Amino acid sequence: GAGVSQSPSNKVTEKGKDVELRCDPISGHTALYWYRQSLGQGLEFLIYFQGNSAPDKSGLPSDRFSAERTGGSVSTLTIQRTQQEDSAVYLCASSLRVSGGGEQFFGPGTRLTVL
Amino acid sequence: GDSVTQMEGPVTLSEEAFLTINCTYTATGYPSLFWYVQYPGEGLQLLLKATKADDKGSNKGFEATYRKETTSFHLEKGSVQVSDSAVYFCALSVRDNYGQNFVFGPGTRLSVLP
């Protein structure tokens, strides 16, 4: 498909387990973004990549969160030792490049539930 | 820090009513401003944007004007339709010391009744 895809679409895990969320951006998009959308909250910006590089990781909620991107394409967001407050929809977006006025194209999200 | 404030929802209107969703922002630099929309069961998509002061973004009958003096980017539509029922997010993008910062508002749910 031509859009941003994310997998899995739903993930239920037990507290303390690690999870990996995957994002496939639109082909040719060099910029990739991760957001978190908690119930009743707006989108919380987590991190962005320009190519394989993430200039600013300060938006990640804690050191249990990490993200990487390889080959300028697929990205994974890893949450270690999950907690109940990590339950949310994790959204990925991509754009041609990181720029102030550029449109971001969003994926359908991964709904994470931590029991 | 950078922030976006938008009116609390939900907003319920009758078809053909006039819509305004207020959005104000705080930014350390000179931001670009956006409205994104999320229709039921779909992902977020860009509705309109403005990248400099006094620019007007428009799409699908919606409009918003970048007002630097009031730090606002209110969304308006003259006559809403049932198909406009969705959640609307005001957002900004601004350059900071680390690169680029992206901030979204909490979203405003709009329901349009026939």
Side-chain angles (χ1 to χ4, degrees):
Chain A
V4 176
S5 60
Q6 294 184 245
S7 60
S9 55
N10 278 285
K11 176 71 177 179
V12 180
T13 189
E14 293 179 348
K15 179 181 170 182
K17 296 285 176 93
D18 298 351
V19 295
E20 270 193 6
L21 312 180
R22 177 187 167 109
C23 173
D24 276 277
I26 293 172
S27 178
H29 280 192
T30 64
L32 185 148
Y33 315 81
W34 283 101
Y35 295 86
R36 178 168 71 173
Q37 187 175 24
S38 303
L39 189 63
Q41 309 277 328
L43 270 70
E44 177 187 3
F45 171 60
L46 301 180
I47 192 170
Y48 79 86
F49 289 88
Q50 177 59 55
N52 294 333
S53 173
D56 179 13
K57 299 181 181 180
S58 64
L60 295 174
S62 75
D63 58 10
R64 297 185 294 104
F65 287 70
S66 62
E68 66 174 14
R69 189 179 186 197
T70 54
S73 182
V74 171
S75 176
T76 55
L77 178 69
T78 301
I79 310 173
Q80 295 178 309
R81 304 181 303 281
T82 51
Q83 304 294 312
Q84 288 182 333
E85 62 262 27
D86 299 334
S87 296
V89 176
Y90 290 82
L91 293 171
C92 175
S94 71
S95 63
L96 278 173
R97 60 185 181 282
V98 176
S99 71
E103 176 180 0
Q104 296 183 23
F105 294 82
F106 282 81
T110 293
R111 182 176 297 277
L112 174 66
T113 303
V114 182
L115 302 177
Chain B
D2 306 318
S3 66
V4 171
T5 302
Q6 59 182 109
M7 62 189 292
E8 296 285 331
V11 173
T12 302
L13 296 173
S14 297
E15 207 164 21
E16 299 183 3
F18 184 85
L19 168 72
T20 300
I21 302 178
N22 289 337
C23 171
T24 57
Y25 68 90
T26 305
T28 50
Y30 197 144
S32 294
L33 303 174
F34 306 83
W35 278 99
Y36 279 82
V37 59
Q38 188 171 29
Y39 297 104
E42 299 184 17
L44 271 85
Q45 55 188 274
L46 180 67
L47 179 61
L48 53 84
K49 69 177 185 181
T51 58
K52 60 183 189 296
D54 300 325
D55 269 3
K56 178 186 283 187
S58 61
N59 186 25
K60 298 182 180 181
F62 290 88
E63 292 183 339
T65 301
Y66 190 143
R67 300 286 188 204
K68 193 163 186 278
E69 63 276 15
T70 54
T71 61
S72 64
F73 193 54
H74 305 322
L75 182 68
E76 297 183 336
K77 186 173 185 181
S79 176
V80 294
Q81 306 300 311
V82 172
S83 57
D84 294 327
S85 298
V87 182
Y88 293 82
F89 294 89
C90 186
L92 67 82
S93 171
V94 65
R95 192 149 188 86
D96 64 13
N97 291 335
Y98 301 98
Q100 202 77 21
N101 191 23
F102 305 92
V103 181
F104 279 70
T108 301
R109 182 176 298 277
L110 170 67
S111 294
V112 180
L113 306 178

